[in-house]
Amino acid sequence: SSKIASLEVQSADDVAISEDCLEFSLAKTISKIEEKLERGGLPDCLDDDVLPSAENEIGAETQIRLLKAKLRVMQEELDSVVCECRKKDDENQNLKSQLKDAGEEKARLQRTISVQQSQIGKYKMLSQEADKKNEGLQQEVIALNKVL
């Protein structure tokens, strides 16, 4: 049970645990089951399909070994799920960072667009003024050509 407890500590250090589960200890649970077995009976929870019906006829020590083996498998599955959750958290953080960068880029591009649109308006006005001046100069050229 001390080996399992050390596995629990190693694998559960970085895992968020709800306050209800803070008192839960795998080693304590195993030792409670072992104590019940030593007192002369299997715990009540063994009837909930943890052990198939054919295995209920085997000895208590064999059942304990079987349960410990199942516990190790479940711990390995838990470790893999925890690892997968960490990977997903890392990926989530990466995507959040990319989203933040994209938002900043969008804001920068929108500022650039607004500056360029104001410049377009300014240049349109300058173009219209130049067109009016050009028309006036063309009229003056026509008048001077008539005079000549």
Side-chain angles (χ1 to χ4, degrees):
S1 65
S2 64
K3 181 179 177 183
I4 293 172
S6 67
L7 284 175
E8 178 190 47
V9 170
Q10 290 172 355
S11 65
D13 283 341
D14 298 332
V15 178
I17 300 174
S18 68
E19 292 184 19
D20 296 339
C21 298
L22 287 177
E23 297 297 320
F24 177 75
S25 169
L26 195 56
K28 288 180 184 177
T29 304
I30 292 172
S31 64
K32 286 179 184 177
I33 291 172
E34 288 175 345
E35 287 175 14
K36 286 182 181 180
L37 287 172
E38 288 174 2
R39 283 189 229 140
L42 294 175
D44 295 337
C45 64
L46 292 180
D47 294 333
D48 60 1
D49 286 333
V50 173
L51 294 173
S53 61
E55 293 178 4
N56 285 334
E57 298 174 6
I58 60 177
E61 289 190 25
T62 306
Q63 288 178 346
I64 291 173
R65 282 190 300 235
L66 179 65
L67 289 173
K68 285 183 179 182
K70 286 184 178 184
L71 181 63
R72 280 190 289 276
V73 169
M74 289 166 60
Q75 182 66 42
E76 290 172 5
E77 289 175 358
L78 176 65
D79 292 343
S80 69
V81 168
V82 167
C83 181
E84 186 177 329
C85 283
R86 287 181 185 150
K87 286 180 184 177
K88 294 291 182 183
D89 285 343
D90 291 343
E91 183 180 347
N92 195 15
Q93 289 298 326
N94 187 21
L95 291 173
K96 282 181 182 178
S97 174
Q98 289 177 0
L99 181 63
K100 181 181 174 187
D101 293 345
E104 290 171 356
E105 180 72 9
K106 178 184 173 186
R108 185 185 65 77
L109 291 173
Q110 284 178 335
R111 285 191 302 270
T112 302
I113 287 171
S114 67
V115 167
Q116 289 177 346
Q117 284 177 339
S118 67
Q119 287 178 346
I120 287 172
K122 179 179 158 184
Y123 288 130
K124 279 185 180 179
M125 289 183 60
L126 288 174
S127 173
Q128 289 173 354
E129 288 176 10
D131 285 343
K132 287 180 184 178
K133 187 176 181 180
N134 185 25
E135 281 182 37
L137 290 173
Q138 280 183 351
Q139 301 250 338
E140 192 177 323
V141 166
I142 291 172
L144 288 175
N145 278 335
K146 285 183 183 180
V147 169
L148 287 175

